[in-house]
Amino acid sequence: MDYFWPCICSLWVIYLWETYLSARQRRVYGHVKEVPSELKAVLDQQTLIKSASYQLDKSTFSLLHELFGQIVLTGVLFLNALPFAWNLSGSVIGYFGLGTEYEIIQSLAFMILLTLFSKVVDLPWSVYSTFYLEQKHGFNKQTPAFFIKDQIKMLILNTTLTCVILPGLLYLCHWGGTYFYIYAWLFTLAFSLVLMFIYPDFIAPLFDKYTPIPEGKLKCAIEALAASLNYPLKKVLIVEGSKRSAHSNAYLYGFWKNKRIVLFDTLIQDGLIEKGIAQCSPNEEDVQVVASEENKVEQKPEQKLGIRSILLRGEEFGNTSRGSHNDMNETKFKA
């Protein structure tokens, strides 16, 4: 059976549906002209207008970016660019005296080529978003040098992770036989859990600086709030996000009894860290942001989404296995 046209049609149906939903949300940004009565105590008219303008610009950018991505994907499929990239990766390793029997190495070269292509195609959009859209609304704090360094770090990180996970997946596909999808599913699940453990301490600091919050009333207020919600808080950190953006935010992460809260330094009162003020009054907005995040944790949506993601990934591997009738146990390969 020819799956090409059903695949193309499915991609565009999904795209059109998501675009319709985004367009509906975009209309909301344009229709909100006055602060709702419920928010007048915490939001003024000028802030509402600025926020709506920013969201409208972001929505327009997102719609155009997604359309461009959909056209590129369709072009890749129509032009048989993936087989071309696979053959090109074979030529690359052949230059070093390696043949097609080195499947793992060719697959790595193939994925690296796709990563580079994706990065080059998306780079103009990233530049526009950072240095025009965010700059226009006063949020961008990145210099061109900082941006380039960030892009290089992400490219190296993505390539490194690909080189770690892909050989394992290919080996399991050959070794696992009929039930390879179960082993592949478990492998990707284990790898994802390992990444979640090492990300805060080893990966995130590659991009931003994290420091413990100074002793003071703000820290005490956050710890008291966590205790009132039975949230097992171990650390409160401040991330130096002001070099990247003027946006303020906070997030929580961790497993079981080892939870952490991270505040963007843009959320903290100006001069709090630099001056080392230990007895300053906590900014009520800071505590409200953390309270909002802890309330989400209390409702445990991330556990439900995590379980759903695990099950969907298993289903994807299962569907892949049903489409394959080759006996992979007999395949020989070198690495």
Side-chain angles (χ1 to χ4, degrees), residues 292-310:
S292 173
E293 293 298 319
E294 289 186 347
N295 183 56
K296 294 176 186 176
V297 174
E298 192 71 14
Q299 298 173 11
K300 298 182 179 180
E302 75 283 355
Q303 286 93 331
K304 298 176 184 177
L305 290 174
I307 293 173
R308 184 181 302 174
S309 175
I310 291 170

Side-chain angles (χ1 to χ4, degrees), residues 182-200:
I182 296 178
Y183 302 116
W185 174 42
L186 294 175
F187 175 74
T188 55
L189 173 60
F191 189 81
S192 298
L193 292 175
V194 170
L195 273 183
M196 292 173 71
F197 271 107
I198 68 174
Y199 176 83

Side-chain angles (χ1 to χ4, degrees), residues 124-163:
W125 295 90
S126 297
V127 171
Y128 181 88
S129 174
T130 301
F131 294 104
Y132 178 78
L133 182 59
E134 296 292 317
Q135 190 83 29
K136 174 184 175 181
H137 293 275
F139 292 123
N140 177 51
K141 300 297 181 181
Q142 296 187 61
T143 64
F146 186 92
F147 177 83
I148 293 172
K149 184 171 67 174
D150 236 21
Q151 296 298 314
I152 293 174
K153 285 181 180 179
M154 285 189 287
L155 181 60
I156 294 174
L157 178 62
N158 289 337
T159 303
T160 301
L161 293 177
T162 299
C163 291

Side-chain angles (χ1 to χ4, degrees), residues 4-5 16 28 41 49 63 78 95 107 129 139 181 228 238 240 245 250 264 278-280 299 310 317 325 329:
F4 181 78
W5 284 108
L16 291 174
V28 173
I49 294 174
L63 289 171
F78 265 102
Y95 179 80
S107 298
S129 174
F139 292 123
Y181 63 95
S228 68
I238 297 174
E240 195 177 21
S245 172
F264 282 43
Q279 298 300 323
C280 66
Q299 298 173 11
I310 291 170
F317 280 118
H325 303 283
N329 284 319

Side-chain angles (χ1 to χ4, degrees), residues 9-289:
C9 291
S10 298
L11 288 173
W12 275 94
V13 167
I14 294 172
Y15 164 75
L16 291 174
W17 174 248
E18 292 178 344
T19 301
Y20 165 72
L21 296 178
S22 298
R24 287 185 59 185
Q25 183 61 38
R26 189 178 189 281
R27 284 197 295 270
V28 173
Y29 300 141
H31 290 162
V32 178
K33 301 298 183 182
E34 296 184 0
V35 179
S37 58
E38 299 85 355
L39 299 177
K40 286 185 177 180
V42 294
L43 184 66
D44 58 61
Q45 186 68 25
Q46 184 179 6
T47 303
L48 175 70
I49 294 174
K50 288 182 178 180
S51 176
S53 175
Y54 175 63
Q55 293 298 335
L56 280 170
D57 284 350
K58 277 190 64 177
S59 176
T60 301
F61 173 82
S62 178
L63 289 171
L64 293 174
H65 189 197
E66 290 171 4
L67 174 61
F68 175 79
Q70 187 71 11
I71 293 174
V72 170
L73 176 59
T74 304
V76 165
L77 295 176
F78 265 102
L79 298 174
N80 287 321
L82 294 179
F84 172 79
W86 177 257
N87 294 331
L88 180 59
S89 64
S91 301
V92 170
I93 67 170
Y95 179 80
F96 297 96
L98 304 177
T100 55
E101 68 274 14
Y102 291 87
E103 180 184 0
I104 290 181
I105 296 178
Q106 184 173 356
S107 298
L108 288 173
F110 173 73
M111 291 303 299
I112 291 172
L113 285 175
L114 292 185
T115 300
L116 290 173
F117 172 78
S118 176
K119 179 65 69 175
V120 170
V121 168
D122 201 57
L123 185 59
W125 295 90
S126 297
V127 171
Y128 181 88
S129 174
T130 301
F131 294 104
Y132 178 78
L133 182 59
E134 296 292 317
Q135 190 83 29
K136 174 184 175 181
H137 293 275
F139 292 123
N140 177 51
K141 300 297 181 181
Q142 296 187 61
T143 64
F146 186 92
F147 177 83
I148 293 172
K149 184 171 67 174
D150 236 21
Q151 296 298 314
I152 293 174
K153 285 181 180 179
M154 285 189 287
L155 181 60
I156 294 174
L157 178 62
N158 289 337
T159 303
T160 301
L161 293 177
T162 299
C163 291
V164 171
I165 192 173
L166 187 59
L169 272 177
L170 290 175
Y171 176 80
L172 289 174
C173 288
H174 286 275
W175 175 81
T178 305
Y179 299 102
F180 78 90
Y181 63 95
I182 296 178
Y183 302 116
W185 174 42
L186 294 175
F187 175 74
T188 55
L189 173 60
F191 189 81
S192 298
L193 292 175
V194 170
L195 273 183
M196 292 173 71
F197 271 107
I198 68 174
Y199 176 83
D201 295 317
F202 299 100
I203 298 179
L206 295 175
F207 297 92
D208 297 296
K209 181 181 179 181
Y210 291 78
T211 55
I213 189 171
E215 295 293 334
K217 290 186 178 180
L218 176 58
K219 181 180 180 182
C220 292
I222 294 173
E223 290 176 340
L225 178 63
S228 68
L229 295 173
N230 295 320
Y231 184 78
L233 180 63
K234 292 296 182 182
K235 289 183 180 180
V236 182
L237 302 173
I238 297 174
V239 59
E240 195 177 21
S242 55
K243 287 186 175 181
R244 187 182 305 277
S245 172
H247 287 293
S248 298
N249 205 348
Y251 65 89
L252 304 92
Y253 68 89
F255 289 94
W256 300 295
K257 301 298 182 180
N258 185 27
K259 304 286 189 179
R260 303 180 185 186
I261 292 176
V262 177
L263 302 173
F264 282 43
D265 60 349
T266 50
L267 190 64
I268 309 297
Q269 296 176 3
D270 291 339
L272 174 61
I273 302 174
E274 293 79 0
K275 298 178 182 178
I277 301 177
Q279 298 300 323
C280 66
S281 299
N283 187 325
E284 185 179 352
E285 180 186 358
D286 300 347
V287 180
Q288 287 175 347
V289 171

